[in-house]
Amino acid sequence: MAKGKTPAVSTSLKEFLRTGHRHFLRSLSVDNVIFGFHENQLKVLLLHTTFGNQWGLPGGFVGIDEPLDKAAARVLRDRTGLNDLYLQQFHTFGQTERRDNKVLSKVLKDLNLNPGKDHWTLQRFVTVGYFALVEYAKVNPQPDDLSTTCTWHDLDNLPTLLMDHGDIINKALEELRIRLKYQPIGYNLLPREFPMKDLQSIYETVLGRKLDRANFNRKMVGYDILDKKKKLFTGGSHKAPYLYSFNKKKYFKALENGLGSDF
Amino acid sequence: MAKGKTPAVSTSLKEFLRTGHRHFLRSLSVDNVIFGFHENQLKVLLLHTTFGNQWGLPGGFVGIDEPLDKAAARVLRDRTGLNDLYLQQFHTFGQTERRDNKVLSKVLKDLNLNPGKDHWTLQRFVTVGYFALVEYAKVNPQPDDLSTTCTWHDLDNLPTLLMDHGDIINKALEELRIRLKYQPIGYNLLPREFPMKDLQSIYETVLGRKLDRANFNRKMVGYDILDKKKKLFTGGSHKAPYLYSFNKKKYFKALENGLGSDF
DNA sequence: ATTCTAATGAGTCAATATGACACAATAGTA
DNA sequence: TACTATTGTGTCATATTGACTCATTAGAAT
């Protein structure tokens, strides 16, 4: 979907479509499922395509001399304006139906480029899926050259999506669910300091069921990977909760001893 | 590494190297980490390359109209002679150093083909890693067109490997370890009926530590996914163990209730 | 200032799971 | 018939989990 900003590539969309096959790996792309958390809702960042009038995941191509992970990180940076985010490869999608005839052939026509079936963007693409966990408030969503808007969408109220992007999101969520069970990565969705209730909300949303407040607290504190801070003044008319922050040192020590495993 | 046997592709190696770029996706390959279990050892199936005098994973290219998963299954079938095996995609490797200059340029020279830097096989490749769990005794290892032998190797005594194939195996093992903790997939490495001790050995090998016999037994039986069969006559001078077999119906029912999860 | 409300931190307790170990049973061998 | 190695099963102390209680407290209402 995205126009890559790899060094030495023209910034013009037309030029990109004409000569991209010389600067990017053929038939390979990356797509990012960027998760955010806001108002007790898990959200995904989506782009609205200029030409096809459809929503799709932020994605891009892989530079001919660019590591795969860097390509995904580049797309993530370009769409969020942020660096060094939690980004995790989770699955590669290689069905033969994965090709975008509608949107891109319309683009090509509009730009007076050869819309023939053999254009490199109209070929079948294998895409490597990454999911990212980002702090909602910090993100400044940026559309790419093929889209008009870039906005958050509630995960349980998604619009119709391009190609298999719905499947990709589902798989990302599934993978997130699994990972959350043996790595406490949820904090990546929160500010540096957060009340325990917010972390619990994330777990409840991702796992899809309510958790007991007291037991959740006990368990998280039990992992010994959080620092307890001073109080928070919430503005709510009730007892103010503690704030916690994630402690990386403690985390890696805890990982060695095996966090949350059977056997 | 492998020559694909996709329909309508010439069976000659030379022809394949000359025209492969028209039948396969460019710069994309699949590699299989095929695990077997024999004499209490976890084994991996490796190929010895004819030209480079090195060992590598069984792999292949993806047909232009072939689903990714099918390509991996095809490679697995071609090397083992078996169908319908446990095969799981686990990671895609996309470092820029992933190109095979040594082996393939030698092959090209020997076949009097243009050994220029721009030959399609000498480009950088992104490879999708799959791991398979197979029943050791049933496998009939088959080398491919670029290798002389295909044999099992002890996982803890591997030879020097091609490119990043060592990393790929390590990652596969790591992924297998994680999966084993929340899905009882170990039985795929065993015959249809097996004594509990063999299953325990697999867990011990994969997890890398001894497990208590009685507790392991209790836990596995507790999952309620195994059928207890008649006795086995081992030939050993001791009490004969029961045989168990995996029950898929029970398994899927157990999965719904969440097998071995925190929270 | 005092009372009220909603949400928090901490604690209890029964049920269940885990880890370490014990012991009788038994297939083949001596 | 006794011996040996290994198996099926049981026990028990300890740790973890799930469901619940209760005193505490920040801000709003009075």
Side-chain angles (χ1 to χ4, degrees), chain A residues 25-28 62-69 88-97 99 124 126 128 130 171 175 178-182 203 207 209 211 216 219-220 223 259-263, chain B residues 25-28 62-69 88-97 99 124 126 128 130 171 175 178-182 203 207 209 211 216 219-220 223 259-263:
Chain A
L25 293 184
R26 297 248 198 146
S27 58
L28 191 67
V62 183
I64 249 175
D65 281 313
E66 183 184 36
L68 192 59
D69 289 344
Q88 178 71 52
Q89 188 198 302
F90 68 93
H91 193 76
T92 297
F93 299 83
Q95 289 306 109
T96 45
E97 309 85 52
R99 57 175 79 203
R124 162 207 181 183
V126 170
V128 183
Y130 285 78
K171 183 82 178 173
E175 204 64 31
I178 290 170
R179 262 175 202 278
L180 200 60
K181 282 188 182 178
Y182 71 95
Y203 274 76
L207 300 180
R209 63 195 161 87
L211 300 171
F216 181 82
K219 182 146 200 159
M220 276 298 152
Y223 283 155
L259 232 166
S261 68
D262 272 12
F263 295 100
Chain B
L25 294 184
R26 297 247 198 149
S27 58
L28 191 67
V62 183
I64 250 174
D65 282 313
E66 183 185 36
L68 192 60
D69 289 345
Q88 178 70 53
Q89 187 198 304
F90 67 92
H91 193 76
T92 296
F93 299 84
Q95 289 305 110
T96 44
E97 309 84 52
R99 56 174 79 204
R124 163 209 181 180
V126 170
V128 183
Y130 285 77
K171 183 83 179 171
E175 205 63 31
I178 290 169
R179 265 177 199 278
L180 199 60
K181 283 188 183 179
Y182 71 96
Y203 275 76
L207 300 179
R209 64 196 161 87
L211 299 171
F216 181 82
K219 182 145 201 163
M220 276 298 151
Y223 284 154
L259 231 165
S261 68
D262 273 11
F263 295 101

Side-chain angles (χ1 to χ4, degrees), chain B residues 108-152:
Chain B
L108 291 169
K109 236 176 233 168
D110 284 24
L111 289 175
N112 255 338
L113 286 167
N114 164 27
K117 263 186 156 184
D118 55 338
H119 190 272
W120 71 282
T121 61
L122 298 180
Q123 302 307 303
R124 163 209 181 180
F125 270 82
V126 170
T127 200
V128 183
Y130 285 77
F131 74 84
L133 304 182
V134 306
E135 188 181 333
Y136 180 89
K138 278 196 178 167
V139 174
N140 181 16
Q142 300 285 345
D144 64 18
D145 292 352
L146 289 171
S147 54
T148 49
T149 46
C150 179
T151 54
W152 292 105

